[in-house]
Amino acid sequence: MAAFVTAWSQPGPTPRRVRVVEFGFLDGRPDPTPLFDGTPEEARVLFNAEALDVLSTAVDGGEYSPGRACRSCRFTAVCPAVPKIGGLLGVQARDRPLRTWSPTSARSYRECPARSYLRASMLPVDEAVERNASAERGRAVHDYLAACHKTVPHNACGLVVPDVWLGNYALADDQHVLGSELLRFHAEVCPMLYVESSEDVRVEPSLVYLDEEASSRVLVQPDLLYRDGDSWVWREVKTSARRRRFQDLLWDYPQLALGLELLGRGALDGSPARSRVELEVLRPGGADLITLDPFSPGTRQAARDVVRRLVAPWREDDLFIATPGAHCSACEVARWCPSRQQCDAISGDAR
Ligand code: SF4
């Protein structure tokens, strides 16, 4: 498309040669292999073959698809696909500009406001930090499970895990072995054991809500929603290289707290009878399944408190000041950080 537009845009004149080149955002250098290098006529042929149909489909699309795109959409307030749940985040900020909150960004903000701001600004992250060994193993396991759970007709996961489960992930041998072991343990607690039809499963659905009282869009992506009878169950899966003891489960994993709030408010429809949030922890030696009841007053209050504690300082913040500390050594946006020198001094890291 870029080659075609460059070649044939008015007012001309038509160039003799067109090149489309990628430049690295970090080093400002061009990729030695151009994406396109040819004549305007070659650009037209390629456009007709590769881009025309895709472009037509894109502009003909008439469906709403709530998700990441909602972050920067100015029509959220009137969008029929985004449900309004006043009070979901538990803070009052009607007079503040609209912002987007998610449990993932909340964890980042909790550690360092600047980090969540830099991430939200879509700056390139340090891949070596972002893709560390355990994070990559977790992603590989998640992706494999998501693909299995999407299979139609649906099947519960079995004890036999194929060697090719890694897909495009390149894991070290020890992570590969651990991942395979964790996947075998998943078979014991696979939610598909309870599902009657493929329509009763939503794998990694993008959920978007608008809390007008907090002037905030709320984005969350459960690992899985499945129906037990006519009730929705929210399942999160975590992988761990060791057995973990949780001090404060909802604080550690804010998406559980938000899941409890949403189910407790009936945001997902269905009957409340068997509605619940589940945390599946896959670790060496077995799988733990922790169940949380959105209709238990104590659990619900704890969930509400966690969400409010996370949202209140973020909603009031206009400066997103960096808070250097030990966590800087695992910060994927450190290269953009205004306090980077201080961070390096703290972590003794010559990054
Ligand atoms: S390097 Fe440290 S202070 Fe800077 S954004 Fe990252 S976590 Fe925050």
Side-chain angles (χ1 to χ4, degrees):
M1 222 179 284
F4 178 76
V5 169
T6 306
W8 297 105
S9 289
Q10 295 304 319
T14 306
R16 276 176 296 167
R17 180 184 173 201
V18 176
R19 298 174 77 215
V20 179
V21 183
E22 267 186 319
F23 281 77
F25 189 74
L26 291 179
D27 61 11
R29 295 198 180 142
D31 193 316
T33 312
L35 293 171
F36 177 86
D37 188 353
T39 64
E41 207 40 58
E42 285 167 336
R44 187 201 300 279
V45 170
L46 187 63
F47 176 82
N48 286 334
E50 303 282 341
L52 191 54
D53 287 349
V54 179
L55 187 58
S56 305
T57 310
V59 296
D60 281 349
E63 289 182 5
Y64 297 97
S65 3
R68 290 176 66 84
C70 302
R71 281 177 181 277
S72 54
C73 178
R74 287 184 287 166
F75 303 104
T76 319
V78 293
C79 177
V82 176
K84 295 185 176 66
I85 306 185
L88 176 62
L89 298 181
V91 299
Q92 294 292 327
R94 279 186 182 275
D95 53 343
R96 304 278 286 152
L98 189 62
R99 277 186 184 169
T100 302
W101 185 87
S102 75
T104 311
S105 65
R107 290 176 71 179
S108 189
Y109 181 89
R110 183 172 65 190
E111 215 156 56
C112 171
R115 183 179 180 180
S116 78
Y117 182 82
L118 293 167
R119 277 219 76 134
S121 304
M122 309 290 284
L123 291 164
V125 298
D126 185 335
E127 293 285 322
V129 175
E130 177 85 345
R131 300 193 164 275
N132 68 60
S134 66
E136 279 296 89
R137 183 241 305 139
R139 286 190 195 105
V141 168
H142 268 89
D143 284 4
Y144 176 74
L145 290 178
C148 293
H149 297 156
K150 274 182 192 159
T151 309
V152 179
H154 72 288
N155 265 319
C157 296
L159 287 169
V160 179
V161 178
D163 284 343
V164 292
W165 71 269
L166 274 179
N168 293 326
Y169 287 91
L171 298 188
D173 286 350
D174 59 332
Q175 297 295 337
H176 186 184
V177 170
L178 176 58
S180 305
E181 186 187 356
L182 300 182
L183 286 172
R184 278 193 290 280
F185 291 134
H186 165 78
E188 283 175 42
V189 291
C190 178
M192 295 296 140
L193 293 164
Y194 311 101
V195 166
E196 288 179 7
S197 141
S198 305
E199 288 166 7
D200 294 338
V201 183
R202 295 176 67 191
V203 180
E204 297 179 345
S206 293
L207 307 180
V208 184
Y209 300 93
L210 179 65
D211 179 352
E212 287 176 313
E213 290 178 24
S215 193
S216 300
R217 306 177 192 90
V218 181
L219 266 63
V220 62
Q221 194 170 43
D223 288 331
L224 187 86
L225 294 175
Y226 70 95
R227 240 196 274 259
D228 182 1
D230 53 0
S231 303
W232 282 108
V233 182
W234 180 303
R235 171 76 66 103
E236 293 290 335
V237 181
K238 301 291 168 203
T239 64
S240 174
R242 61 192 158 80
R243 185 161 210 158
R244 294 193 54 184
R245 303 248 175 265
F246 298 104
Q247 300 283 337
D248 186 342
L249 197 58
L250 301 183
W251 182 252
D252 289 348
Y253 300 117
Q255 63 269 46
L256 300 177
L258 185 61
L260 286 165
E261 264 301 274
L262 289 168
L263 288 176
R265 287 169 175 263
L268 298 182
D269 303 326
S271 150
R274 293 189 220 174
S275 197
R276 60 192 180 271
V277 172
E278 295 177 335
L279 175 64
E280 172 183 337
V281 184
L282 302 174
R283 40 113 188 137
D288 299 318
L289 189 62
I290 301 163
T291 302
L292 300 162
D293 178 3
F295 300 99
S296 149
T299 307
R300 185 74 185 284
Q301 188 58 49
R304 220 173 264 163
D305 289 346
V306 162
V307 172
R308 192 173 40 236
R309 276 166 61 204
L310 288 166
V311 172
W314 165 83
R315 192 49 276 199
E316 284 176 7
D317 199 347
D318 285 326
L319 299 175
F320 292 84
I321 288 175
T323 52
H327 48 262
C328 296
S329 60
C331 176
E332 69 285 0
V333 285
R335 68 157 56 91
W336 310 109
C337 175
S339 303
R340 183 176 156 183
Q341 285 180 336
Q342 222 178 323
C343 304
D344 287 349
I346 288 172
S347 61
D349 179 357
R351 187 170 42 211

